[in-house]
Amino acid sequence: MSENERYFGEYGGMFVPETLMGSLTALEETYDKYKDEKDFLEQKEYYLREYAGRETPLYFAKRMTELLGGGKVYLKREDLNHTGSHKLNNVIGQMLIAQRMGKTRIIAETGAGQHGVATATIAALFDLPCTVYMGEQDTQRQALNVFRMELLGAKVVSVHTGTKTLKDATSEAIRDWAANFEDTYYVIGSVVGPSPYPRMVRDFQSVIGIETKRQIAEKEARMPDYLIACVGGGSNAMGLFYPFIGEENVKMIGVEAGGKGTDTPHHAAAIGKGSPGVLHGMKSYFLQDEFGQILPVHSISAGLDYPGIGPEHASLFESGRVRFESVTDDEAVEAFEFLSKTEGIMPALESAHAVAYACKMIPKTRKNDIIVINVSGRGDKDVYSVAKHMGVSIND
Ligand SMILES: *Cc1c(COP(=O)(O)O)cnc(C)c1O
């Protein structure tokens, strides 16, 4: 593997302690050996189809289209995957790599708990012990997902350092890996971290874009005009965008968490308000102060509450291929309600960010434009957060 294949333009790389270099190189070699191999691909496709329930529909949102009065809206239904989000696409692939590396213990970090649940699920399926690191603040916000992981047989470690959220859970998982790399496989949940993770996770999530491309060709006999996806670390967005990168007329928009507004300190818009830096093994965009200290972030959606973004997005932003926008907590909750009431689809609060931006943009599009929105997950996990935000109290 040449040095520059570990980079996307000037972003990416392998910024890790010496002790982890060997493990990353071994992972890189294993991944490159198997990624196009027939048995590996067949096994991966088997689990995606028979276990995760793929392919997911590309659904024509007729009522939403009529109400917004612009182009035709399609929803890519990643919310219909087993465990309720796109996360399983990646975990299945990585677990098959872990198996080939002979690893006997699985660890992961999680924010909202979606990646933790997906990892605990596949660890149960493959009968491997699993430890999930989660910030203490997130264990409270997403208590149901903590219990889910425990029911699946995983051990959840609550992380009390720093802001007690995803950034700190990730740092703790990296520490565990550095101490136990011989028998332990670290399943990273997004297109972040040191190489080869960003490229490997992108490849596993690309199933979203590959299916979308085939489905839109069947339904409309042409490419879409816009792809819209929310961006935390950026895996559901990369998965949708990547197979379309070479299609010059397809415009791509990543939607970051604007929290209480990007003119306040309470948001997670790493591209919108961040700058280049190094954290968690990668060079990318981060929200940081003038001394490079990572800033606390906020989003109503725990899955977008990360101060950075994957390095490939940083590169796609600088080249102008992908545009980044943000929407606020209020707008996301409004979109959550809107999609629930118009299409009977309750999106995850993360996905509601993509829906919210689409709702603002679509009235300005032409009638014959085609817009695909990635519904990265379902909203059941967020009902309590939404109720709280709306000031509604529900008994539990
Ligand atoms: C985790 C998660 C996200 C954010 O992660 P990305 O890597 O940016 O996709 C978005 N939507 C849902 C439903 C998630 O669970």
Side-chain angles (χ1 to χ4, degrees), residues 82-215:
H82 179 40
T83 76
S85 80
H86 67 293
K87 294 290 195 318
L88 213 65
N89 302 332
N90 165 46
V91 175
I92 286 171
Q94 286 200 53
M95 211 65 91
L96 293 171
I97 293 293
Q99 239 181 12
R100 280 159 177 74
M101 295 181 84
K103 302 294 183 187
T104 53
R105 176 176 175 260
I106 300 301
I107 60 169
E109 84 295 338
T110 199
Q114 293 297 99
H115 175 59
V117 167
T119 306
T121 297
I122 305 297
L125 182 68
F126 285 17
D127 193 22
L128 289 169
C130 174
T131 300
V132 179
Y133 289 93
M134 190 168 185
E136 199 233 350
Q137 197 190 320
D138 293 333
T139 60
Q140 287 172 10
R141 285 199 286 192
Q142 302 285 340
L144 205 56
N145 271 341
V146 174
F147 188 52
R148 267 194 195 115
M149 289 184 262
E150 289 168 350
L151 285 172
L152 290 160
K155 185 175 144 206
V156 180
V157 177
S158 172
V159 177
H160 297 265
T161 52
T163 52
K164 305 181 175 68
T165 58
L166 179 56
K167 166 179 77 74
D168 312 287
T170 306
S171 303
E172 212 44 50
I174 294 173
R175 263 192 282 280
D176 179 321
W177 196 38
N180 302 295
F181 60 86
E182 278 177 23
D183 66 347
T184 299
Y185 184 93
Y186 177 20
V187 183
I188 292 188
S190 189
V191 287
V192 297
S195 183
Y197 282 102
R199 137 177 102 88
M200 179 170 68
V201 177
R202 173 202 69 201
D203 292 350
F204 291 148
Q205 291 293 359
S206 288
V207 65
I208 303 171
I210 291 169
E211 283 178 10
T212 300
K213 216 169 176 180
R214 186 175 65 234
Q215 290 166 319

Side-chain angles (χ1 to χ4, degrees), residues 76-81 84-87 89 114 208 228-231 235-237 304 347-352 354-355 373-378:
K76 182 58 174 163
R77 301 287 313 273
E78 289 301 300
D79 57 311
L80 294 177
N81 274 310
S85 80
H86 67 293
K87 294 290 195 318
N89 302 332
Q114 293 297 99
I208 303 171
I228 304 178
C230 68
V231 179
S235 69
N236 84 88
L304 302 183
L349 272 176
E350 290 84 0
S351 326
V355 176
I373 306 170
N374 202 17
V375 183
S376 52
R378 65 171 182 238

Side-chain angles (χ1 to χ4, degrees), residues 280-303:
H280 295 149
M282 61 174 166
K283 181 177 179 195
S284 192
Y285 270 63
F286 297 97
L287 288 163
Q288 52 193 329
D289 68 15
E290 73 223 81
F291 306 109
Q293 289 294 313
I294 298 299
L295 294 169
V297 285
H298 162 84
S299 169
I300 187 170
S301 129

Side-chain angles (χ1 to χ4, degrees), residues 295-326:
L295 294 169
V297 285
H298 162 84
S299 169
I300 187 170
S301 129
L304 302 183
D305 211 348
Y306 182 68
I309 185 168
E312 195 164 11
H313 283 289
S315 169
L316 290 167
F317 162 66
E318 287 194 353
S319 71
R321 183 66 189 90
V322 176
R323 203 170 91 211
F324 291 83
E325 302 284 349
S326 67

